[in-house]
Amino acid sequence: MTQHHLAQINVARALAPLDDPKLAVFVARLDDISALADKSPGFVWRLQSDSGNATDIQVSEDPRFIVNMSVWEDLDALFAYVYRSDHLQVMAQRRRWFEKPAGAFMALWWLPAGRLPTVEEGLARIEELDLKGPTPKAFTFKSPFDAAGRPLDRSALVRSVEPCA
């Protein structure tokens, strides 16, 4: 059994309220993409409210600011979900629904297996990444670290995942 899991957070500010027709396609895909995560190899947990997603969890004064968090067994599993599944189709359209971020909008970090991250912890990791760049405490797919804090060769990560069918 692994001693660490990989946490991820990403945040965005919607171009309009979630009930606006401009975001209808995004909102319509939420259940499918959440179900895809739930059944993906290596998935451990995701932030969600009673609605089944996290879009209605308000974490700031701004109701258009949304947060997404999840935990995965390892970096390869999360990478496969993000870049080698139908999730990529939704992610490729994100500028239709969300403002272009001024700084870091996502962060990855290792945590002890069995522990779940808090939203506050995730937001602090984004701030850490924005201020210091990638470190073992907060990193990205472009500059990953292993659970021991050693930099990883990103090309090994990309090669470790089979392309989409």
Side-chain angles (χ1 to χ4, degrees), residues 8-88:
Q8 76 79 29
I9 184 171
N10 62 80
V11 297
R13 185 167 190 275
L15 294 172
L18 290 176
D19 59 357
D20 188 291
K22 293 177 189 170
L23 274 75
V25 173
F26 169 75
V27 172
R29 294 296 316 270
L30 282 173
D31 288 343
D32 294 342
I33 296 303
S34 295
L36 178 63
D38 292 347
K39 68 180 185 181
S40 291
F43 171 80
V44 175
W45 169 88
R46 66 182 168 84
L47 179 67
Q48 60 183 303
S49 69
D50 291 340
S51 68
N53 66 65
T55 58
D56 55 356
I57 297 174
Q58 193 165 341
V59 298
S60 80
E61 300 273 327
D62 184 351
R64 291 175 27 204
F65 182 79
I66 64 172
V67 63
N68 174 48
M69 292 181 68
S70 58
V71 175
W72 297 78
E73 288 180 358
D74 56 41
L75 195 59
D76 290 338
L78 177 58
F79 188 89
Y81 168 71
V82 171
Y83 293 107
R84 301 287 190 247
S85 76
D86 195 36
H87 175 271
L88 184 62

Side-chain angles (χ1 to χ4, degrees), residues 69-147:
M69 292 181 68
S70 58
V71 175
W72 297 78
E73 288 180 358
D74 56 41
L75 195 59
D76 290 338
L78 177 58
F79 188 89
Y81 168 71
V82 171
Y83 293 107
R84 301 287 190 247
S85 76
D86 195 36
H87 175 271
L88 184 62
Q89 303 296 326
V90 174
M91 193 175 69
Q93 299 177 64
R94 67 187 177 275
R95 293 294 160 254
R96 290 177 50 196
W97 309 307
F98 300 103
E99 293 178 359
K100 184 175 182 178
F105 60 93
M106 67 86 64
L108 308 173
W109 71 99
W110 295 99
L111 70 169
R115 189 171 80 69
L116 299 178
T118 65
V119 172
E120 294 76 19
E121 178 183 10
L123 294 172
R125 300 294 176 140
I126 289 176
E127 185 177 345
E128 173 94 10
L129 182 61
D130 214 19
L131 292 172
K132 298 181 180 176
T135 68
K137 196 170 177 182
F139 54 92
T140 65
F141 284 121
K142 289 183 181 179
S143 300
F145 288 80
D146 67 15

